[in-house]
Amino acid sequence: MVAMASSSAINCSTVLKLARQIIDSSSRPEIRSLLVELTDKLTITSQAHYPSASSVSSCSTTTITPKVTKRYPWVSKTFKQLQSASEVTLPPSSTTRSSTNTNPPLSFANATYGETPPATISTILNILSEHNGAIPFEGYFVDAGSGKGGALVCAALEGMFHHCRGIEYNNDHSQAAISLQRQYDQKHNNPKLESSNYPPAVDSCSIQFVCGDLVNERFHGASVVYSNAVLFDSHLCGILGHSLDRADLQPDAFVVTATRRFS
C-alpha cells in the first residue's frame, strides 16, 4: 500500500502541474491537448485511490500501462520491413544532426536527434482517437521535425489519416525519409490490400516529407501536430507556438509535444 500511495502522490503532483499549464496557456490547440492529458492523469489517479479487489488481495502495486491501438502489432511488423527494405537504420538519440550545404547549422539543442518509437505513436493516436470521437481525422498528421520518417510512416500505417506530412531540417535525414517513403508507396499505400486483422478507417494515406525549416511551416488544416521536441530551445518553441496560434487548424486539432511546450 505504501508503493500505491507514493504512485498516487506522483500523479496528483502531475495533475496540479497540468492544471497550472492550462491556466497559463493562451494557445487553443495546446489547451485542448493538455486537457486530454489531464483527463487521463485524473483517471489514473482515481484508479490508484480506488484499486480493484483483485489488486488489493494480491497486495501488488497497480500499474497503468498505456494502450497501443489494436492495429499496432501489424504496424510495428510492417514498419520494420519497410525500414529494412529502405536500408534506414535509426541512430541512437545521442547522435546529432550535421549541418548541410543548403541549411545553416542549428544550435546544439535544436540539432540533437532522436526517433520516436512506433509504440509511442500508436499510444498517442489511440488516446487522441478516443477523444476525437470520429475516425478518420478530418485533417492531416504533421510531424514537426520528422527525422528519418519513422514516426510519420507509423502514423500513416495506423490508417487514421488521409495524409501525413513531415518537416525536417537536415537534408541527409530527409533523404533517408524519402527512401522510406518509396517503400511505403510501393507496398502499403493501399490499405485495402493489407493483411491486418484490424482494417484502417481510410482507403489510403499519402505521405510527404519536406526538407525545410519549421519556422516557415504554417500547419493549416492539420488535425494532429506532433513533435519530439525534447531539446528544442525556448526560441524555437516560442516561434512554433506563435505559428500554431495563428494557424487555421481543424476545430478539434491536437498539438502533442515531447517534454517542451510550444508557447
Side-chain angles (χ1 to χ4, degrees):
M1 294 301 293
V2 174
M4 189 177 296
S6 176
S7 175
S8 175
I10 292 173
N11 284 325
C12 288
S13 175
T14 303
V15 166
L16 289 173
K17 181 180 178 181
L18 286 169
R20 293 190 187 99
Q21 290 178 346
I22 292 170
I23 293 171
D24 294 339
S25 178
S26 60
S27 168
R28 185 182 68 180
E30 182 184 40
I31 290 173
R32 179 173 171 79
S33 294
L34 287 170
L35 285 171
V36 170
E37 187 176 354
L38 178 61
T39 300
D40 293 330
K41 291 298 181 183
L42 286 171
T43 300
I44 294 173
T45 302
S46 176
Q47 291 171 339
H49 279 295
Y50 304 102
S52 64
S54 59
S55 64
V56 172
S57 62
S58 63
C59 297
S60 62
T61 301
T62 301
T63 301
I64 308 300
T65 304
K67 294 182 179 179
V68 295
T69 64
K70 293 180 178 179
R71 191 174 166 78
Y72 170 72
W74 178 87
V75 169
S76 178
K77 178 181 178 181
T78 302
F79 170 66
K80 290 177 181 178
Q81 292 172 347
L82 294 175
Q83 183 184 14
S84 176
S86 63
E87 299 181 349
V88 175
T89 302
L90 302 181
S93 58
S94 59
T95 61
T96 58
R97 298 171 178 159
S98 60
S99 61
T100 68
N101 293 330
T102 56
N103 292 329
L106 296 170
S107 67
F108 179 81
N110 292 337
T112 303
Y113 178 75
E115 286 281 348
T116 303
T120 300
I121 290 295
S122 185
T123 301
I124 290 171
L125 292 182
N126 191 37
I127 294 171
L128 298 188
S129 63
E130 291 177 355
H131 286 275
N132 187 57
I135 297 297
F137 289 88
E138 286 291 327
Y140 60 97
F141 176 92
V142 181
D143 187 351
S146 51
K148 296 187 176 182
L152 184 137
V153 168
C154 288
L157 290 171
E158 288 286 356
M160 299 183 185
F161 303 91
H162 293 287
H163 181 65
C164 293
R165 172 181 170 87
I167 306 97
E168 170 59 37
Y169 191 82
N170 181 279
N171 183 66
D172 291 339
H173 293 170
S174 291
Q175 292 303 312
I178 291 172
S179 176
L180 185 61
Q181 177 184 348
R182 291 194 189 102
Q183 295 299 319
Y184 171 85
D185 288 342
Q186 290 174 8
K187 299 179 180 180
H188 293 287
N189 197 20
N190 187 349
K192 284 184 176 180
L193 302 179
E194 295 172 359
S195 58
S196 170
N197 292 328
Y198 298 94
V202 299
D203 290 338
S204 65
C205 177
S206 61
I207 63 176
Q208 176 190 23
F209 290 105
V210 177
C211 184
D213 198 328
L214 282 175
V215 301
N216 299 321
E217 186 65 21
R218 294 296 174 259
F219 305 103
H220 293 323
S223 280
V224 177
V225 178
Y226 171 76
S227 183
N228 187 356
V230 175
L231 290 176
F232 282 11
D233 61 31
S234 298
H235 178 69
L236 178 57
C237 288
I239 292 175
L240 293 174
H242 181 69
S243 296
L244 287 165
D245 283 338
R246 299 182 62 182
D248 184 19
L249 301 171
Q250 292 295 324
D252 296 328
F254 296 93
V255 176
V256 182
T257 63
T259 306
R260 298 304 305 273
R261 297 170 57 198
F262 287 169
S263 59

